[in-house]
Structure formats: C-alpha cells, structure tokens
C-alpha cells in the first residue's frame, strides 16, 4: 500500500471543499504527526479530526528518542521558513519512505532537496478526477469555492495555477 503523509493545509483545503472522504477511496495509508493534529484541534477542524479519531489517519507521535532527530531537521529547514509542524511531517515521510502532501512552499522545497516526492491540493484533485471519484466540473467548482474563501477561512493557493486547472476541468 502507498503511504501519504499529510500536512495541515492539505487537510484544511480538502475539508473546506467537502472532499476529505473521497481521499480515502484512493487507497493510500494516510499518516500525519501529532503536531499537525494539534494544529487541526486549534483550528477546530472537526471533519479532519474525525478521520484521525476513526483511525483512517494515523497520528504519529514523535518519541523522546526521535526528538533530537526532529529538532536537527527543524534547525536545517527553519531558515527556509518551515515550521516545527512542517519538520514533523517531513520527518515522518522520510522515516516511512512516503509521499508528502502539503501546500507549504518552504516544506515542498525542503522535501525536494531530500528526494521526498511531494504534492499538494491540485494533485489530490487531479487524482480524484483521474480515478473517476470526482467529476471534472465539480473539481473546478470546488477550486472556485476554495479561491473565494475570505477572512479566517481564506486559503493560499497559487491563483494562476488554480485558474489553469479550473479552465482544464471546465472544458
């Protein structure tokens, strides 16, 4: 089974679009870190948290023995703008030879440097469309909705790339 490690922003994007349930039909073992779970709790992302509580998402706790490794990785990637939460999911992806799912540019860059395959929300939508789990028009509508969120719910996706997917899926 393929393993995917998710960062908080991907959970939040999928939750915002109402498609988190569809992800689990793609056949990935899904992991995240306890640091990300704490982020989701602080943001009151109940739908994402329900998948953790149901065991569909494995919340990996970084053990005391692994903390020095995690903090060393964080020290390496923090100057590029990555957070401790980012370091935690990168640490898990490296340990499990897993795909990393994030929309965070700094984390994506640091993942590529370490040869960790990394994708984001657009890739997930593409997988759902390609597998016939989401109609292209609906995927386009979901992206339009995501781009339109404001205030606390605002999502930070590259607008030009999002619009290219919207156009592609509306053809």
């Amino acid at each position: 089974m393929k393993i995917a490690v998710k960062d908080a922003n991907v959970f939040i994007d999928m939750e915002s679009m109402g498609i988190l349930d569809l992800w689990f039909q793609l056949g990935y073992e899904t992991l995240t870190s306890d640091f990300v779970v704490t982020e989701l709790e602080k943001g009151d992302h109940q739908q994402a948290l329900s998948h953790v509580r149901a065991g569909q998402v494995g919340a990996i706790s970084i053990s005391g023995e692994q903390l020095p490794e995690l903090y060393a990785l964080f020290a390496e990637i923090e100057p590029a703008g990555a957070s401790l939460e980012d370091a935690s999911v990168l640490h898990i992806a490296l340990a499990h030879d897993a795909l990393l799912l994030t929309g965070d540019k700094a984390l994506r860059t640091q993942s590529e440097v370490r040869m960790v395959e990394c994708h984001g929300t657009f890739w997930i939508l593409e997988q759902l469309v390609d597998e016939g789990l989401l109609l292209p028009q609906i995927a386009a509508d979901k992206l339009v909705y995501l781009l339109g969120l404001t205030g606390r719910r605002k999502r930070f996706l590259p607008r030009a790339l999002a619009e290219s997917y919207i156009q592609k899926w509306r053809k």
Side-chain angles (χ1 to χ4, degrees), residues 1-4 26-30:
M1 179 181 267
K2 303 169 280 188
I3 302 172
L26 290 174
Y28 285 85
E29 178 183 353
T30 307

Side-chain angles (χ1 to χ4, degrees), residues 17-19 125 134 137-147:
M17 290 186 287
I19 61 169
L125 283 167
L134 191 62
Q137 178 65 42
I138 294 174
D141 292 346
K142 297 286 186 185
L143 263 183
V144 167
Y145 172 77
L146 204 58
L147 290 174

Side-chain angles (χ1 to χ4, degrees), residues 97-114:
D97 192 26
L99 169 71
L100 181 60
L101 300 173
T102 184
D104 185 282
K105 185 177 181 181
L107 181 54
R108 290 173 75 101
T109 301
Q110 293 303 312
S111 298
E112 289 166 10
V113 166
R114 288 161 180 79

Side-chain angles (χ1 to χ4, degrees), residues 62-76 87 91-92 94-95:
I62 309 296
S63 71
E65 294 169 0
Q66 296 171 319
L67 281 176
E69 236 178 84
L70 173 63
Y71 284 114
L73 178 60
F74 176 54
E76 287 177 34
H91 174 78
I92 292 167
L94 287 163

Side-chain angles (χ1 to χ4, degrees), residues 42-166:
K42 286 179 183 174
D44 197 31
H45 295 285
Q46 291 303 314
Q47 185 186 22
L49 290 167
S50 71
H51 290 283
V52 174
R53 287 190 291 269
Q56 289 177 291
V57 176
I60 306 291
S61 294
I62 309 296
S63 71
E65 294 169 0
Q66 296 171 319
L67 281 176
E69 236 178 84
L70 173 63
Y71 284 114
L73 178 60
F74 176 54
E76 287 177 34
I77 69 174
E78 188 207 15
S83 67
L84 183 59
E85 292 81 5
D86 295 337
S88 72
V89 290
L90 180 54
H91 174 78
I92 292 167
L94 287 163
H96 289 85
D97 192 26
L99 169 71
L100 181 60
L101 300 173
T102 184
D104 185 282
K105 185 177 181 181
L107 181 54
R108 290 173 75 101
T109 301
Q110 293 303 312
S111 298
E112 289 166 10
V113 166
R114 288 161 180 79
M115 310 282 286
V116 172
E117 184 180 354
C118 189
H119 300 287
T121 298
F122 301 128
W123 181 86
I124 293 168
L125 283 167
E126 211 165 29
Q127 298 305 302
L128 294 172
V129 167
D130 290 350
E131 292 296 319
L133 297 169
L134 191 62
L135 293 172
Q137 178 65 42
I138 294 174
D141 292 346
K142 297 286 186 185
L143 263 183
V144 167
Y145 172 77
L146 204 58
L147 290 174
L149 293 175
T150 59
R152 266 191 59 229
R153 297 188 63 216
K154 181 177 174 87
R155 306 306 303 141
F156 298 93
L157 296 169
R159 184 165 288 279
L161 186 55
E163 289 174 357
S164 72
Y165 276 102
I166 291 165

